[in-house]
Amino acid sequence: MNWLRSALVSSFAALLLCAPATAQVQNDRDTALRNAVVSLGRCTGTLITRRVILTAAHCIPVGLRAEAPATPPRDRCLALPHQHSLAKSPHENPFEWTAFEARAAPTARFGADSGARRISMRAEAYSLPRCADMALLRLAHDVPEAVARPLPVLVLAPHRQVAPPWRDMTLRHAGWGAPKGGPEAGAKRQTGPVRGFSKTRCNLVALPPVRPNGERILTGDSGSPLLAKLDGPDGPEEHVIAVLFASGIPDRAACGARDLRVPRRHGTYTPTWRKQVPDTDSTDLGLWISHHAPDAVRIWPELTPLAAPPQ
């Protein structure tokens, strides 16, 4: 009967893992550390150095980007069409900054409430990786530490191929999502616990907290960070480990199948440690972030996940 007992325990554990979490969002606190998660109008971003913001590529309108060359480069992302389409077919060099025209640059708004924000700052340049819905914005000036304190970003050491055990981490959502048609002027940053759920070779799938309307992801949450609490040399600290781009399961041919069946309401994130996807020209995201924001990156072997509380 030991085999039957073992099978029942395994089945019960699987059911617990597959049950959607029901944690609710709450309004976020207005502190320098929490204010690293900024409003970008219809998107969310994260301050990772005093001058650099991490967000999603689709949050940068094509009209604000540099004009594409008359003869575009060959399509390097055929195996990742969903991510490439979301990123709006970047043609820019990922390892260079591309300047915005001053009159059209996006604006980052700092604070927990758009109706009483601390400051607003314009971006002066951007960088886009290949085949990933992720972007970096460089601000025209440093953000004062009293307003917002940057969050570190988890990347892997160059020789590491195995992803960290992200399901064991204490995870949190923070974003500027609002119901469709909701007034931007009344937006508030909301936060709540996230449950790690499933993954593919390219993406993480998680269950953010439930909003009052029953949804988990709202317009305005795009580009928001998946935050994990890790114990490093200086003690426990939250790190950005991924960026939200949608709620779909994209590019199965290149990314493989998810390891667990995904509930209808979920969030799909691109890990900041994602290396180049085999058989594509995709950018090693950890290398890209390290190139543009070396002060922001943390290496996995130096860190230990803090156990998540029981669900």
Side-chain angles (χ1 to χ4, degrees), residues 4-209:
L4 178 59
R5 185 180 297 107
S6 176
L8 289 171
V9 169
S10 297
S11 298
F12 182 65
L15 286 172
L16 287 177
L17 187 59
C18 292
T22 57
Q24 303 288 317
V25 295
Q26 58 186 359
N27 290 341
D28 206 359
R29 300 194 300 272
D30 184 7
T31 67
L33 190 57
R34 293 300 185 98
N35 288 343
V37 179
V38 305
S39 170
L40 296 172
R42 301 286 283 178
C43 282
T44 298
T46 308
L47 188 73
I48 60 172
T49 75
R50 291 182 64 191
R51 204 165 175 178
V52 176
I53 288 173
L54 177 66
T55 186
H58 75 261
C59 293
I60 305 177
V62 172
L64 301 187
R65 287 170 41 189
E67 188 176 350
T71 305
R74 65 187 178 87
D75 192 347
R76 297 168 292 213
C77 300
L78 289 174
L80 293 164
H82 187 87
Q83 285 267 307
H84 191 54
S85 174
L86 277 173
K88 301 168 185 173
S89 308
H91 55 84
E92 299 88 344
N93 184 336
F95 293 96
E96 293 181 357
W97 289 108
T98 302
F100 287 113
E101 291 186 22
R103 61 179 178 80
T107 299
R109 300 171 177 87
F110 293 83
D113 185 334
S114 63
R117 55 181 175 262
R118 298 287 194 88
I119 60 171
S120 297
M121 298 186 71
R122 283 190 175 272
E124 65 177 5
Y126 68 94
S127 177
L128 300 173
R130 294 173 184 161
C131 320
D133 187 24
M134 200 176 281
L136 291 171
L137 300 175
R138 189 179 70 197
L139 300 174
H141 305 284
D142 288 354
V143 177
E145 289 187 0
V147 172
R149 194 175 115 198
L151 287 171
V153 180
L154 177 60
V155 300
L156 289 178
H159 63 282
R160 295 272 295 193
Q161 297 290 337
V162 179
W166 72 287
R167 279 205 201 101
D168 296 335
M169 301 174 184
T170 299
L171 303 173
R172 185 170 70 88
H173 164 87
W176 287 85
K180 290 181 180 178
E184 184 183 322
K188 296 180 184 294
R189 187 176 61 236
Q190 294 187 307
T191 188
V194 175
R195 187 175 183 185
F197 203 82
S198 192
K199 64 180 176 62
T200 68
R201 283 195 295 267
C202 307
N203 307 115
L204 304 178
V205 177
L207 300 175

